[in-house]
Amino acid sequence: MKIEVISTNLEDVKADSVVIQLFEGAEAPEIALTLPESIRKEIAPSIEIGGFKAKLGQVLPIYPKSVNMARCFMLLGLGNKQELSLEAVRQAHGYAALKAEEMGSKSMAIPIPNLPPYTAPEITASVLEALSLAFYRFNKYRSKVEDSKHPELIRLVVDFDVRVMCDTAAHEATIVSEAVKLARDIANMPSSDLPPKRMAEMAAEVGRISGFSTKVLEMEELERMGMGGIVSVGKGSSNPPVLIVMEYDGGGETYAVIGKGVVFDSGGISIKPSEKMEEMKYDKSGAAAVIALMKAVAELKLPVRLIGIVPAVENLPSGRALKPGDIVRFRNGKTAEIISTDAEGRLILADALAYASEMRPKAIIDLATLTGACVIALGTHASGLFSNSDELANALINSGERVGERLWRLPLWKEYFEQIKSEVADMKNVGGRPAGAITAAAFLMNFIDNHIPWAHIDIAGTAWTQESSPEKSYIPRGATGIGVRLLADFLKSEVKRG
Ligand code: BES
Ligand code: MN
Ligand code: ZN
């Protein structure tokens, strides 16, 4: 998909479809930008007749009489003006993109309207993300793919004085969107084609191209380093576990991001029911986001040092598998009694968090499809956020609002730690059903140094879309790629704050 950012009179723009944004109005929809009289005349009847209300995401293609104009004007509803957000802009333009694809438009022109309080570069980035992500399909495994019909050329039409800034925004949004698509690919891939070692090779390949280094710690080394969590979860599978450590050094402060990389979670000896077990290939979504974030940050050349840590394992039952009642010792010397081998994410994250703490970064953030309880608490509309730092939590919440990946903070009061006390070890890996997402986070908190700001993000409900969750225009079924845009925005804003 080729992107052009141009400053041209809308009448003179050549494209198969030209988007015209409108707001819902009391009587008739209100055009969201200044239009030349010729175009205004062409679209006026369609607006006045009344079928098109400009509801958010509503699309009406109309064909102008004048042959000199675009083949099609695509009226696009932005919804209620008072409720406008960047997320509404993304949703709406995602629907326009899908319509253009359906109509076989080869090129699409989109004017970037002036929508205060948002800046033209912000709108540009949101529009581009929506387009790029709406066209994503996971087609690697289809032998017959219908020819991709999505537009190959996108022209963004901006005011002359902001053209350069919008061009930069478009360039950055393209980098980030490509990374999100990589995250979706990794999470969507079947576990048989992405065992831990293969995931490490893939990270290294991405790093070679995008500019970060990758180190892979294998079984023997993990044992030597005291990473009992990763070793004991991984030993049940014939695909051995690895710890992937990626580093991008753009100068500046050090941040560590950790992603849960369970390539498949059967539950292990505490095996899961078979219904929907296939969805547990998405248990590597945190890892997918971290590898993709490394790619994005390296390509954006952000002035930070970013360490990406992915404990990658396959959780399977076997004669060598971890068992309930076993006691595991982690990297920081603490021990846990295993109640359920299905609470495996926290065991591998424990080692990764302890390891990250040793590097003394400015902040540690982990992304994990950690608990079904988080899905029960927040559904698919927000990821759970847990943190020992109000400042870090608030910065992440703000990034989430900006990029449309909402976070909701849950408490880590000391009472919750009572639930994971063990008779025989420092703690146990399950705290019962009440507050299951919180007790999982409380478990993790044992493995960080409390002087380091840390945030845990439970993406179990947001990492993929099921039949029950309404499809968003720019998020097709399957892996969502959650976390990449969130943390890219967070790191950008950290850099800005200095
Ligand atoms: N990967 C799952 C969490 C999960 C469940 C993610 C559903 C997405 C959808 C995790 O490893 C797990 O099995 N958690 C258990 C913990 C329990 C045994 C304490 C759970 O949530 O049931
Ligand atoms: Mn599990
Ligand atoms: Zn899991």
Side-chain angles (χ1 to χ4, degrees):
M1 198 167 80
K2 192 164 173 282
I3 319 288
E4 285 177 9
V5 179
I6 55 172
S7 302
T8 318
N9 193 326
L10 210 52
E11 285 167 301
D12 304 326
V13 174
K14 295 274 163 288
D16 286 352
S17 341
V18 175
V19 170
I20 307 284
Q21 299 93 338
L22 301 99
F23 288 115
E24 264 176 87
E27 253 113 75
E30 176 198 340
I31 302 168
L33 64 162
T34 329
L35 282 182
E37 194 46 38
S38 58
I39 299 184
R40 190 176 277 273
K41 255 199 223 128
E42 285 288 349
I43 68 171
S46 310
I47 301 177
E48 283 153 16
I49 285 163
F52 180 77
K53 301 268 186 258
K55 295 221 174 297
L56 180 61
Q58 197 185 359
V59 183
L60 177 67
I62 59 170
Y63 298 86
K65 284 195 240 79
S66 159
V67 286
N68 297 326
M69 290 209 199
R71 229 163 45 111
C72 165
F73 286 117
M74 206 180 261
L75 305 190
L76 173 64
L78 295 181
N80 188 314
K81 196 172 185 171
Q82 274 69 46
E83 287 165 27
L84 185 77
S85 61
L86 290 178
E87 180 58 12
V89 170
R90 264 179 234 114
Q91 281 299 345
H93 288 82
Y95 285 113
L98 295 178
K99 193 71 183 179
E101 184 175 35
E102 182 193 311
M103 299 195 325
S105 301
K106 295 215 165 46
S107 55
M108 205 178 168
I110 306 175
I112 299 299
N114 187 10
L115 303 171
Y118 306 107
T119 64
E122 280 176 322
I123 303 287
T124 301
S126 300
V127 166
L128 243 175
E129 282 170 4
L131 260 56
S132 169
L133 297 176
F135 294 143
Y136 173 84
R137 300 285 179 283
F138 184 62
N139 278 336
K140 280 191 187 351
Y141 290 86
R142 293 180 193 267
S143 40
K144 269 214 195 84
V145 181
E146 316 94 70
D147 283 354
S148 159
K149 281 204 232 83
H150 68 71
E152 273 309 321
L153 174 63
I154 309 295
R155 295 204 153 108
L156 301 175
V157 187
V158 305
D159 287 345
F160 179 75
D161 51 330
V162 290
R163 204 198 65 81
V164 175
M165 281 195 300
C166 289
D167 199 55
T168 307
H171 175 69
E172 291 182 2
T174 304
I175 289 176
V176 175
S177 305
E178 288 305 314
V180 174
K181 291 191 268 187
L182 171 69
R184 288 180 181 176
D185 277 345
I186 293 175
N188 278 327
M189 268 175 80
S191 58
S192 58
D193 284 349
L194 205 60
K197 252 194 146 142
R198 180 69 203 106
M199 188 190 279
E201 285 163 12
M202 197 164 165
E205 271 164 41
V206 174
R208 263 195 300 278
I209 296 166
S210 302
F212 60 85
S213 66
T214 306
K215 186 170 76 179
V216 184
L217 308 180
E218 298 192 37
M219 191 58 136
E220 265 183 23
E221 180 106 39
L222 293 171
E223 280 171 346
R224 198 162 51 235
M225 293 175 72
M227 306 252 190
I230 300 172
V231 168
S232 54
V233 176
K235 69 187 180 180
S237 168
S238 51
N239 299 312
V242 297
L243 181 68
I244 311 172
V245 184
M246 296 161 280
E247 178 177 346
Y248 157 74
D249 195 352
E253 299 275 9
T254 301
Y255 295 84
V257 287
I258 300 174
K260 172 178 173 181
V262 176
V263 299
F264 184 72
D265 181 12
S266 70
I269 296 294
S270 315
I271 198 160
K272 288 180 181 292
S274 55
E275 180 153 333
K276 295 253 177 105
M277 205 203 263
E278 70 279 6
E279 291 190 345
M280 282 303 129
K281 70 170 183 173
Y282 297 114
D283 215 15
K284 52 180 153 43
S285 296
V290 166
I291 295 169
L293 179 74
M294 294 302 302
K295 170 180 157 80
V297 169
E299 292 178 8
L300 290 170
K301 300 196 163 62
L302 286 190
V304 296
R305 174 164 174 257
L306 184 62
I307 314 280
I309 303 175
V310 169
V313 302
E314 185 166 52
N315 189 19
L316 292 182
S318 82
R320 284 181 290 139
L322 177 68
K323 299 179 291 294
D326 288 356
I327 295 177
V328 172
R329 186 182 297 277
F330 300 92
R331 171 77 182 167
N332 69 349
K334 291 191 184 173
T335 59
E337 176 191 6
I338 305 306
I339 304 299
S340 169
T341 63
D342 197 11
E344 84 297 340
R346 62 200 76 182
L347 304 179
I348 64 170
L349 291 172
D351 285 331
L353 287 165
Y355 184 62
S357 297
E358 291 166 23
M359 301 177 190
R360 315 223 55 81
K362 187 164 183 222
I364 301 176
I365 301 167
D366 74 75
L367 288 167
T369 47
L370 202 63
T371 66
C374 192
V375 192
I376 302 300
L378 300 172
T380 59
H381 305 297
S383 306
L385 172 66
F386 306 82
S387 183
N388 61 353
S389 155
D390 293 348
E391 199 184 333
L392 176 60
N394 291 333
L396 286 165
I397 288 168
N398 291 339
S399 286
E401 286 303 320
R402 275 196 294 271
V403 306
E405 297 189 347
R406 279 199 184 124
L407 300 175
W408 193 258
R409 192 175 179 187
L410 291 162
L412 279 171
W413 294 313
K414 65 177 190 311
E415 286 81 353
Y416 292 108
F417 290 77
E418 298 297 317
Q419 280 175 244
I420 51 171
K421 281 204 167 140
S422 164
E423 297 287 321
V424 293
D426 296 337
M427 66 198 101
K428 55 185 180 184
N429 78 333
V430 170
R433 293 191 65 190
I438 301 177
T439 53
F443 184 94
L444 297 182
M445 200 160 163
N446 283 287
F447 298 92
I448 50 133
D449 176 334
N450 225 341
H451 301 296
I452 304 176
W454 157 75
H456 157 58
I457 303 177
D458 193 333
I459 56 173
T462 50
W464 71 94
T465 57
Q466 305 144 313
E467 289 127 302
S468 57
S469 56
E471 261 182 87
K472 284 187 174 186
S473 63
Y474 66 97
I475 306 184
R477 288 264 149 89
T480 59
I482 193 111
V484 181
R485 291 188 304 115
L486 174 78
L487 295 187
D489 183 274
F490 165 76
L491 290 171
K492 274 196 217 170
S493 60
E494 285 286 288
V495 167
K496 244 189 250 160
R497 273 189 337 147

